[in-house]
Amino acid sequence: MMARPLHRGFSGGGRVAETSRVGDSWGSPKKEDSWDSQMKDKIEKEGFDKPRPLPYVVSFWTKLIGFDASSDHIFLKQGPRLSSKSLAENGFGSDPKDLSSQIHSRIDLDSPSARRIRQGMVAMRLLQWALALIVLISVSGFLWWTISISSSRSGTVYRGYRRLQEQVIVDLVDIGVLSSGVSNKLKELDFCSHDLENFVPCFNVSENLALGHSNEDEYDRQCVHKSREKCLVLPPKDYRIPLRWPTGRDVIWSMNVKITPEQVVSSGSLTKRMMLLEDNQISFRSDSLMVDGVEDYSHQIAEMIGLRNESNFIHAGVRTVLDIGCGYGSFGAHLFSKQLLTMCIAIYEVYGSQVQLALERGLPAMIASFNSKQLPYSSLSFDMLHCARCGIEWEQKDGAFLIEADRVLRPGGYFVWTSPLTNLQGSSRNKSNQKKWEFVRDFALNLCWEMLSQQDETVVWKKTSRRNCYASREFGAGPSLCFKGQDIESPYYRPLQTCIAGTHSRRWIPIEERTSWPSRLMLNASEASLHGVHKEDFDEDGYNWQSMVRNYWSLLSPIIFSDHPKRPGDEDPSPPFNMVRNVLDMNALFGGFNAALLDARKSVWVMNVVPKGGPNYLPLILDRGLVGVLHDWCEAFPTYPRTYDLIHAQGIVSFQTASRPWCPILNLFLEMDRILRPEGWVILRDTTLSIEAGRTLAAQMRWDARVVELENNEERLLICQKPFIKKP
């Protein structure tokens, strides 16, 4: 009985010779020419010699390996096993060797058909190996994914969840806008009442008194997480745009700040006496011919340190100064011209605020208090602390205020105190004041501060550069050292401590051994490693910011950054005089934006903010000779309304959405509007989704906004300007 021909589905119609089957063995072959002639007629009749179209070939292989094209899944077909017995039953001999030998005997190995068969068998073998490899990789990948998910940190999974939630939130916002109609704009927010024009959240004196705070704690920062009024803070009725620098540093509009002429006249501190009220302006004079002039005063301090004049502060390692109870910032304004950066801090004041007037002059300042909590600065952050009749009673609370001053002062740094208590021949010297002075003097000695000089009302101490100084003190003398668990490098408004902090820090480097300014702006490899940063990442960040600042300038200039002097004969620029004096960077990272502005020689200073809950590079920023602060953007920033010309933030919206989901982004934009002066600018760089959400909120703030596409398709720029809206 003749078996059916066996045809292989190769492209090109390859064929295999047929044999006759007798019982369970291969029969003797017929003559090839007879068989060929029969097959030729059959092939011509059935068309097997025609080339197979590609779908046919693909269909064959997909059926062979079990690939269902309609379901996009690959699976292996599990057919019945072929034993020697089953082969015999189907016409194949029980001995595979006989089978192979008989196949070869019936095939002309040099014929085209044989070559096609061999090629097909090789292809089949390769396909089998490929399928086996794919299955192995798939199974291994699945196992690795399962293990990684089970062993990954919960924070990683949570961040992924937050990204999905952010996407859902943005989508829901878009759906809400679309459902209300494309032409129907979101409702613009109303304006706050008149009594909130100088409102500072977290510093509500009446509310703090109602909560039971007293003994000056009512003036301290008390942030209560509650719903915020959804309204926009308007400027005072006669508010005027500040004058551009350098004129605006010495002359301000009196209507812009909450101070009365009587308060100006009655001001009694060293720097407050520099104020002169002229018409609608307040002038701040710094004439070296004045007996108590700032230049003479700063020159005196330099001589007490052992320097020729204040211009040599930089060479002595002094770059950043913390001015406590700063008056109206005249000391810092003078040092600014000497390349020193002075941060003014003072308590919250309802009227005649020192911080508000300093910021109106465009000088670095923020509300802060020594009263009960640690300052939001890292340990070992300032080269000099200055207190000129600052109102701090240093002998109070068993010296806790002096301990906090020591915490933020760098090794080898200077503490300058000007007070009537220090004047040995002064009329204010009595037994009570003598006792206060002796306490401060002895306590400073136990802090390992060396008194360098004392002249009139001014005393200068130098903090030790040696850690072993504390071990050499007499037993029980002075405060103890903090344990490593207590010595937190960047505390956030924690209660004042009674132990000496900073001694465990790797940043314990005397100021005279630090790189001098401006070279210290660029950290070397060893300095970067102290902060856990690779030098390559640090340099790349700086390069990227330089490029971005150039793009900002080309995009916005001469709209806001035209700070070049006017040429003779040129007309005055139109308001707002293209002026930017100070910048608030809401997510500073390494301080690269600040460094790029300095590199571009822009006459601005930057408040570098490190958001709480993210990577803490505040110590790195401060070590670069810049100023910065740790802050939680769920809370109000410690400043007065209308105090910054430009707000910049990279990734702040997406960061808050991911790490602070309980804080509405609307509150963040309300806070930005509060602290931004009229006609001030906002530059946000963030993901596309965050920028689209930000543009919606900017419309509610009544800002003029536009989105700028970037080469990086994942990010966009949102540039906004706050309008100058006057009260009706």
Side-chain angles (χ1 to χ4, degrees):
M1 182 178 180
M2 187 71 66
R4 295 179 57 190
L6 178 64
H7 299 285
R8 302 294 177 131
F10 296 115
S11 177
R15 64 193 182 193
V16 178
E18 181 190 12
T19 62
S20 62
R21 187 180 63 179
V22 179
D24 291 335
S25 63
W26 286 85
S28 58
K30 293 186 177 182
K31 293 183 180 180
E32 300 229 2
D33 54 351
S34 174
W35 186 86
D36 288 341
S37 62
Q38 296 176 16
M39 287 304 303
K40 182 176 181 181
D41 295 338
K42 189 174 184 63
I43 289 172
E44 290 176 353
K45 182 178 180 180
E46 298 184 7
F48 282 101
D49 248 353
K50 295 180 181 179
R52 302 294 185 187
L54 182 59
Y56 174 87
V57 179
V58 173
S59 174
F60 172 81
W61 289 110
T62 54
K63 290 178 181 178
L64 182 65
I65 65 173
F67 174 72
D68 186 356
S70 63
S71 62
D72 289 340
H73 289 287
I74 295 178
F75 57 94
L76 294 177
K77 285 188 175 179
Q78 296 183 353
R81 287 182 176 271
L82 296 179
S83 63
S84 58
K85 181 179 180 181
S86 62
L87 287 172
E89 292 175 351
N90 287 278
F92 295 93
S94 59
D95 189 354
K97 293 182 180 180
D98 293 341
L99 172 64
S100 176
S101 61
Q102 293 185 53
I103 289 177
H104 284 281
S105 67
R106 303 301 300 168
I107 299 177
D108 185 0
L109 298 179
D110 295 328
S111 66
S113 299
R115 286 196 297 271
R116 285 194 294 269
I117 292 172
R118 287 198 302 272
Q119 293 172 0
M121 294 179 67
V122 171
M124 176 65 73
R125 182 64 63 185
L126 292 175
L127 182 61
Q128 290 173 345
W129 280 107
L131 287 174
L133 183 61
I134 291 172
V135 172
L136 179 61
I137 293 175
S138 301
V139 173
S140 301
F142 176 77
L143 291 175
W144 176 86
W145 178 80
T146 303
I147 295 171
S148 63
I149 286 295
S150 61
S151 61
S152 62
R153 294 178 298 175
S154 59
T156 304
V157 178
Y158 178 75
R159 285 193 294 272
Y161 166 74
R162 290 304 314 155
R163 284 193 291 270
L164 292 175
Q165 190 178 52
E166 177 188 359
Q167 172 75 53
V168 171
I169 291 173
V170 174
D171 290 344
L172 290 176
V173 170
D174 293 340
I175 292 172
V177 174
L178 292 174
S179 64
S180 61
V182 177
S183 61
N184 185 20
K185 291 175 57 179
L186 286 174
K187 182 181 177 182
E188 295 177 338
L189 296 177
D190 294 330
F191 298 109
C192 301
S193 60
H194 171 75
D195 56 346
L196 293 179
E197 65 183 26
N198 290 290
F199 176 61
V200 182
C202 299
F203 292 92
N204 192 325
V205 177
S206 59
E207 186 175 287
N208 292 342
L209 287 172
L211 292 173
H213 297 285
S214 58
N215 298 326
E216 295 188 356
D217 282 354
E218 66 271 20
Y219 293 97
D220 207 351
R221 179 180 181 275
Q222 306 290 342
C223 275
V224 180
H225 291 278
K226 63 178 184 179
S227 59
R228 179 171 179 167
E229 291 193 54
K230 304 299 188 292
C231 61
L232 306 177
V233 177
L234 277 173
K237 183 177 180 180
D238 298 323
Y239 181 87
R240 299 181 66 176
I241 300 299
L243 302 172
R244 66 183 303 182
W245 270 14
T247 304
R249 191 161 51 212
D250 298 324
V251 180
I252 65 172
W253 301 109
S254 59
M255 303 83 67
N256 291 6
V257 294
K258 198 170 184 178
I259 189 171
T260 63
E262 292 76 17
Q263 289 173 317
V264 175
V265 174
S266 62
S267 298
S269 72
L270 174 67
T271 52
K272 288 182 181 179
R273 288 201 299 268
M274 312 311 247
M275 294 168 48
L276 298 175
L277 186 64
E278 300 175 355
D279 297 329
N280 295 326
Q281 295 180 339
I282 299 176
S283 299
F284 301 86
R285 305 302 183 192
S286 180
D287 190 346
S288 61
L289 298 177
M290 298 177 64
V291 176
D292 55 359
V294 173
E295 290 188 21
D296 281 349
Y297 176 67
S298 58
H299 185 81
Q300 176 190 2
I301 294 174
E303 289 182 334
M304 294 173 70
I305 290 176
L307 305 175
R308 183 175 179 180
N309 53 48
E310 64 270 29
S311 299
N312 298 111
F313 276 136
I314 290 288
H315 304 296
V318 178
R319 157 64 181 174
T320 55
V321 180
L322 183 65
D323 195 2
I324 306 166
C326 54
Y328 298 137
S330 295
F331 182 66
H334 174 67
L335 295 181
F336 194 86
S337 62
K338 309 299 180 183
Q339 299 187 60
L340 270 67
L341 193 57
T342 304
M343 173 58 65
C344 161
I345 62 171
I347 63 171
Y348 170 75
E349 298 168 286
V350 180
Y351 293 95
S353 168
Q354 304 170 64
V355 171
Q356 187 180 32
L357 266 76
L359 283 165
E360 186 65 24
R361 300 177 66 182
L363 300 171
M366 62 175 285
I367 303 172
S369 171
F370 273 86
N371 196 40
S372 61
K373 298 175 183 177
Q374 291 180 307
L375 299 172
Y377 308 119
S378 303
S379 301
L380 317 179
S381 296
F382 293 93
D383 305 315
M384 177 185 287
L385 266 63
H386 174 257
C387 166
R389 300 184 181 180
C390 60
I392 303 293
E393 297 184 356
W394 297 105
E395 76 283 356
Q396 294 293 319
K397 296 192 176 182
D398 298 325
F401 300 151
L402 287 170
I403 293 175
E404 177 63 6
D406 178 84
R407 182 185 71 83
V408 298
L409 186 62
R410 286 195 175 100
Y414 303 97
F415 182 83
V416 181
W417 185 32
T418 299
S419 170
L421 295 178
T422 65
N423 191 350
L424 298 178
Q425 289 79 32
S427 57
S428 61
R429 179 56 57 89
N430 52 44
K431 289 185 178 180
S432 175
N433 289 341
Q434 179 76 22
K435 186 177 180 179
K436 292 178 181 178
W437 158 246
E438 290 176 353
F439 177 89
V440 174
R441 181 194 60 194
D442 296 342
F443 200 89
L445 180 64
N446 290 327
L447 287 174
C448 286
W449 291 3
E450 177 189 0
M451 183 186 293
L452 296 182
S453 180
Q454 180 177 7
Q455 294 182 15
D456 302 326
E457 294 184 349
T458 302
V459 182
V460 178
W461 283 276
K462 182 178 176 66
K463 179 177 177 176
T464 183
S465 299
R466 301 177 297 106
R467 295 191 220 215
N468 57 9
C469 173
Y470 303 106
S472 63
R473 298 176 300 175
E474 294 183 5
F475 179 76
S480 60
L481 301 183
C482 293
F483 296 110
K484 196 168 184 179
Q486 297 174 294
D487 197 353
I488 299 176
E489 188 168 49
S490 299
Y492 186 68
Y493 297 109
R494 297 173 69 241
L496 289 173
Q497 291 188 316
T498 57
C499 57
I500 299 175
T503 57
H504 298 281
S505 175
R506 299 172 59 193
R507 298 169 49 243
W508 182 282
I509 303 174
I511 62 171
E512 55 268 17
E513 296 180 13
R514 288 182 176 271
T515 307
S516 60
W517 181 263
S519 299
R520 68 189 290 185
L521 186 63
M522 300 304 299
L523 304 182
N524 57 39
S526 60
E527 291 170 336
S529 65
L530 288 177
H531 304 279
V533 177
H534 294 291
K535 185 64 165 61
E536 296 77 11
D537 297 336
F538 179 81
D539 292 341
E540 183 180 359
D541 179 77
Y543 174 79
N544 291 338
W545 277 114
Q546 290 176 0
S547 176
M548 281 189 277
V549 165
R550 286 194 298 269
N551 292 335
Y552 291 166
W553 250 251
S554 62
L555 182 66
L556 301 174
S557 183
I559 300 176
I560 63 174
F561 287 122
S562 167
D563 55 357
H564 302 291
K566 185 182 69 172
R567 295 180 180 178
D570 289 351
E571 296 181 358
D572 289 329
S574 58
F577 306 111
N578 308 326
M579 175 205 60
V580 170
R581 306 160 302 168
N582 56 6
V583 178
L584 179 71
D585 193 355
M586 299 177 68
N587 189 13
L589 195 62
F590 301 152
F593 181 54
N594 192 167
L597 289 172
L598 293 173
D599 185 69
R601 300 185 181 277
K602 301 302 175 183
S603 56
V604 299
W605 67 270
V606 179
M607 174 66 84
N608 297 282
V609 181
V610 175
K612 190 175 183 292
N616 181 18
Y617 292 112
L618 181 60
L620 183 151
I621 292 172
L622 296 168
D623 285 353
R624 299 183 72 177
L626 309 175
V627 293
V629 64
L630 186 67
H631 182 67
D632 186 349
W633 282 115
C634 290
E635 303 167 349
F637 194 72
T639 190
Y640 291 85
R642 304 172 300 278
T643 48
Y644 284 91
D645 301 327
L646 172 65
I647 295 178
H648 174 269
Q650 180 175 15
I652 190 63
V653 176
S654 56
F655 171 80
Q656 285 293 111
T657 304
S659 63
R660 294 288 192 270
W662 54 88
C663 304
I665 299 299
L666 176 60
N667 287 359
L668 180 68
F669 274 70
L670 284 169
E671 180 63 9
M672 293 163 62
D673 182 83
R674 184 185 72 87
I675 63 183
L676 186 65
R677 70 166 175 83
E679 296 186 352
W681 294 82
V682 176
I683 302 178
L684 298 181
R685 182 181 181 128
D686 216 315
T687 63
T688 300
L689 294 174
S690 297
I691 290 299
E692 289 302 321
R695 180 166 59 174
T696 301
L697 294 171
Q700 292 187 271
M701 301 294 117
R702 302 171 185 255
W703 297 347
D704 298 324
R706 67 188 181 102
V707 175
V708 179
E709 301 285 346
L710 301 176
E711 293 182 359
N712 178 7
N713 294 328
E714 296 180 356
E715 291 185 329
R716 292 184 182 179
L717 277 181
L718 178 64
I719 301 177
C720 310
Q721 186 178 29
K722 178 181 176 179
F724 185 4
I725 301 176
K726 295 185 177 181
K727 290 185 176 180

